[in-house]
Amino acid sequence: MDRRPPRGHRMVPHTADVRIEAWAPDREGCVAEAVTALVDTFVDATGATPEATVEFQVPPGDDPDLLVGVLDEVIFRLETEGDVPLATEVRAADDGGLLVRWHTTGTDTVELVGAVPKAVSLHELRFGRDQEGWSGAVTLDV
């Protein structure tokens, strides 16, 4: 069996919705990869450059709740602000939450190539340590 690269993401077949997987050596890197995977499901950002930087904090919670909190924020900001994260930085907050910084652009600067996610499903949500670091799998309602 081939080993996975140290960090990455992919879409996996799913019946009606979109399922993504992400992995990295650490929790924060895995969350950042999941954001990139989510964005890759519906836009082609080739050639797009960041226009703004957005920072926010996810309150403390279980690791899966932290992942869902970040992905929900992507969808919320997409719907309310038209922002798409092109790059994501995630750090652990002192209170047990996450500090997230996105370098964003508007939806008018990227090409829509898929259905825009409407929500993160909790069904078959997986996020935690594995033998090679951290990994997660999430289904996105489209």
Side-chain angles (χ1 to χ4, degrees), residues 6 20 22 24 30 47 53 56 58 70 72 83 85 92 106 108 116 138-140:
I20 58 173
C30 191
T53 299
F56 68 97
V58 178
V70 173
D72 278 343
D83 286 343
D108 57 339
V116 176
V138 177
T139 301
L140 305 169

Side-chain angles (χ1 to χ4, degrees), residues 62-137:
D62 294 337
D63 291 323
D65 293 338
L66 294 174
L67 174 63
V68 170
V70 173
L71 297 179
D72 278 343
E73 190 72 14
V74 173
I75 295 168
F76 173 76
R77 289 183 189 260
L78 176 67
E79 291 175 353
T80 62
E81 307 291 330
D83 286 343
V84 176
L86 298 177
T88 302
E89 301 163 22
V90 181
R91 292 183 299 128
D94 292 340
D95 66 359
L98 295 175
L99 301 171
V100 180
R101 175 183 291 161
W102 284 326
H103 303 281
T104 65
T105 192
T107 54
D108 57 339
T109 68
V110 295
E111 180 182 355
L112 294 177
V113 295
V116 176
K118 299 296 180 205
V120 177
S121 173
L122 300 180
H123 181 68
E124 297 182 344
L125 171 66
R126 179 179 53 77
F127 183 62
R129 293 182 188 274
D130 65 16
Q131 296 163 341
E132 298 179 52
W134 281 76
S135 66

